[in-house]
Amino acid sequence: MFSFNRKERFVLLGLTAALLVGGAVTLVERYSGRDLPDFHVQKGAVPVPNGPEATESVQRHTGPIDLNRASAGQLTRLPGIGPKIARRIVDDRNQRGPFKSVDDLTRVKGIGKKTVKKLGSKITVDSP
């Protein structure tokens, strides 16, 4: 389409380099000497538990996660369990019924004995 001789390519390369250097200088001049924008914290933007009953409910959820009651979001808090596998666990539970033991988790595609062993005391199976 275009054919440039050696001299033309050299000039084109020089112009491109000048354009890049000029753009970099402009960016440095524009943003140097300026502080980052201030971030303002709004009161009430994030709810904070007040009182012992609110703290108690937060503490209750830090124990082992029940495979028969946990949502996909709760399951993603487990090490090695991402959103896809968490969804598979919930789908399996809905299709095949509740897990009778922690070892039943191996029936879910992508979870083997090593994963179950790694989860250890972080998971439990209570009667549904």
Side-chain angles (χ1 to χ4, degrees):
M1 188 149 97
F2 293 107
S3 61
F4 298 108
N5 63 31
R6 186 173 178 195
K7 211 178 232 185
E8 290 170 334
R9 279 184 277 175
F10 184 74
V11 169
L12 189 59
L13 181 65
L15 289 173
T16 304
L19 180 67
L20 289 174
V21 169
V25 168
T26 302
L27 287 174
V28 168
E29 285 177 353
R30 181 177 293 171
Y31 294 108
S32 67
R34 287 190 185 179
D35 292 333
L36 292 174
D38 292 332
F39 294 98
H40 302 285
V41 177
Q42 297 176 352
K43 281 191 173 185
V46 176
V48 177
N50 294 327
E53 64 282 345
T55 308
E56 194 175 289
S57 69
V58 170
Q59 289 172 345
R60 258 188 273 139
H61 295 293
T62 59
I65 294 178
D66 182 7
L67 295 175
N68 289 327
R69 291 190 175 92
S71 68
Q74 291 168 326
L75 291 168
T76 58
R77 288 189 258 159
L78 294 168
I81 305 296
K84 287 182 181 180
I85 292 182
R87 184 79 248 151
R88 285 185 202 150
I89 294 170
V90 172
D91 290 344
D92 182 276
R93 183 179 67 205
N94 291 337
Q95 291 171 359
R96 299 167 106 179
F99 297 99
K100 292 183 177 89
S101 73
V102 171
D103 292 328
D104 283 350
L105 194 57
T106 58
R107 71 186 191 195
V108 177
K109 181 182 176 188
I111 298 180
K113 291 179 183 179
K114 286 183 183 179
T115 303
V116 172
K117 188 176 180 180
K118 183 171 70 171
L119 294 174
S121 63
K122 294 178 176 76
I123 56 174
T124 187
V125 174
D126 290 336
S127 300

